[in-house]
Amino acid sequence: GEDVEQSLFLSVREGDSSVINCTYTDSSSTYLYWYKQEPGAGLQLLTYIFSNMDMKQDQRLTVLLNKKDKHLSLRIADTQTGDSAIYFCAESIPSGTYKYIFGTGTRLKVLA
Amino acid sequence: GAVVSQHPSWVICKSGTSVKIECRSLDFQATTMFWYRQFPKQSLMLMATSNEGSKATYEQGVEKDKFLINHASLTLSTLTVTSAHPEDSSFYICSARGTPVSGANVLTFGAGSRLTVL
């Protein structure tokens, strides 16, 4: 079945690195995504990675993918208070309409 | 970049009334749009997939007569919550899939609509 799991909370100090983890079960995923949701708002795409890649870096963001273990992580370098939000990982399943399966979301709190 | 506009951003209605939420792709054509529901402090639950010019595909457990979806054009999908009840109160988010970006099916999300049924 399709299941995407994340830890619920993460708290870090401003300036530290944050690492948000995600595990998924469907090995047919083509792309995996990270979205950010601020309070009362929609989802903002942060980055995505193709399933045959193992790393992607985009400014302060580093995505690591371990396809064998079905584990995805998002590292935010030099975390700022503006990074406080809920982060969702999602996988894209090639099932005709390419629907997304979202993770449970990780609430990141950055302490000043 | 791609922008999806969702309207209204919040709505309060009386129990028994119907509420329509619009989702528009502003600068691209969206052949497929998705409607999600999000409960407080929870993840997004896919309700249905809306395809332009055809009937929506509903996820298991979602009442199609309760949540009417219409995707009459390549830039507009609407979700109507019929005979709304307090348990329908939630945050509804739409997303649209346009042309794949480097092969990735990137979804662009609307800002969400918060529905409160009294």
Side-chain angles (χ1 to χ4, degrees):
Chain A
E2 306 153 346
D3 197 16
V4 182
E5 298 281 341
Q6 297 177 241
S7 51
L8 291 179
F9 299 103
L10 176 65
S11 179
V12 300
R13 294 205 174 274
E14 192 174 21
D16 289 350
S17 292
S18 307
V19 179
I20 302 171
N21 294 301
C22 172
T23 58
Y24 60 98
T25 56
D26 197 316
S27 58
S28 65
S29 302
T30 51
Y31 286 89
L32 296 116
Y33 308 82
W34 282 103
Y35 281 85
K36 176 183 180 182
Q37 185 181 35
E38 298 191 18
L43 274 69
Q44 172 196 355
L45 176 68
L46 290 177
T47 187
Y48 62 90
I49 188 168
F50 186 44
S51 58
N52 71 353
M53 295 172 63
D54 51 21
M55 188 184 88
K56 181 178 180 181
Q57 187 152 2
D58 185 0
Q59 299 181 335
R60 291 193 297 127
L61 305 178
T62 303
V63 178
L64 295 178
L65 173 61
N66 182 326
K67 195 171 182 181
K68 175 177 171 289
D69 295 338
K70 299 189 185 69
H71 182 266
L72 180 74
S73 69
L74 173 70
R75 178 177 180 271
I76 306 173
D78 187 25
T79 313
Q80 302 297 307
T81 54
D83 295 324
S84 294
I86 301 175
Y87 290 81
F88 291 96
C89 64
E91 56 175 346
S92 173
I93 309 295
S95 58
T97 55
Y98 287 86
K99 69 178 184 180
Y100 280 23
I101 303 298
F102 280 91
T104 46
T106 299
R107 186 177 295 272
L108 173 65
K109 184 172 183 178
V110 182
L111 305 172
Chain B
V3 177
V4 171
S5 172
Q6 196 171 333
H7 178 80
S9 54
W10 59 271
V11 57
I12 301 173
C13 69
K14 290 184 178 180
S15 187
T17 60
S18 294
V19 174
K20 180 185 284 187
I21 301 170
E22 293 187 348
C23 180
R24 293 182 186 271
S25 56
L26 295 187
D27 50 1
F28 66 103
Q29 293 183 330
T31 54
T32 305
M33 290 185 173
F34 301 90
W35 287 96
Y36 295 85
R37 182 174 181 177
Q38 187 180 31
F39 293 99
K41 298 184 179 180
Q42 293 191 28
S43 187
L44 282 73
M45 180 192 79
L46 179 64
M47 298 175 66
T49 302
S50 172
N51 297 296
E52 187 268 335
S54 63
K55 289 184 179 179
T57 303
Y58 289 81
E59 295 298 303
Q60 193 172 7
V62 178
E63 300 175 61
K64 61 181 180 182
D65 294 331
K66 173 75 172 176
F67 299 100
L68 299 179
I69 291 172
N70 184 281
H71 193 154
S73 78
L74 284 170
T75 59
L76 173 65
S77 175
T78 61
L79 167 68
T80 302
V81 182
T82 62
S83 186
H85 289 282
E87 59 265 29
D88 298 324
S89 298
S90 193
F91 193 54
Y92 294 88
I93 308 176
C94 73
S95 67
R97 181 173 76 92
T99 303
V101 176
S102 301
N105 290 285
V106 174
L107 290 184
T108 301
F109 284 81
S113 299
R114 183 163 300 284
L115 170 64
T116 301
V117 184
L118 302 177

